[in-house]
Amino acid sequence: MEADMSGGPGRKAYRTRSITVTFEAGRCLHAAECVRGLPEVFDTAKRPWIRPERAPADRLAEVVRRCPSGALRYERTDGEGEAPDPPDPGHGGSTGG
């Protein structure tokens, strides 16, 4: 797995064979849904802090979908699903967490 900036400006990508998770720091609300949902993958004390190889892609996608800001997104690279559109933090998205 390798992190790079190919996800766009300010967005880092973390890849495995079956899923790519991207993170945009400037959009993050620090709700910690990811850390609570999969602490073995999302560990802010480690570098890289996202380690998608530590969980099944289905479970990882489920937790990424909980991100209230859309800072985390995913793309299935194994053909097993599609990445949803990120929530719009200014229009009724969940801010709980």
Side-chain angles (χ1 to χ4, degrees):
M1 184 241 2
E2 182 177 321
D4 67 33
M5 296 300 287
S6 67
R11 185 171 284 278
K12 289 189 178 184
Y14 303 85
R15 293 181 171 83
T16 70
R17 286 181 157 181
S18 57
I19 193 167
T20 297
V21 175
T22 59
F23 175 68
E24 186 177 351
R27 193 169 182 163
C28 184
L29 297 174
H30 305 289
E33 289 292 328
C34 55
V35 174
R36 282 193 298 274
L38 278 173
E40 65 271 31
V41 172
F42 299 97
D43 185 346
T44 59
K46 305 272 185 185
R47 293 293 175 262
W49 79 279
I50 300 174
R51 297 177 182 199
E53 72 279 0
R54 294 187 172 192
D58 287 339
R59 178 79 176 111
L60 186 53
E62 176 187 323
V63 170
V64 168
R65 283 192 298 267
R66 293 185 206 160
C67 180
S69 67
L72 286 170
R73 296 188 70 187
Y74 73 92
E75 179 180 350
R76 293 296 297 260
T77 54
D78 58 5
E80 291 295 323
E82 298 187 23
D85 289 332
D88 183 347
H91 292 87
S94 170
T95 57

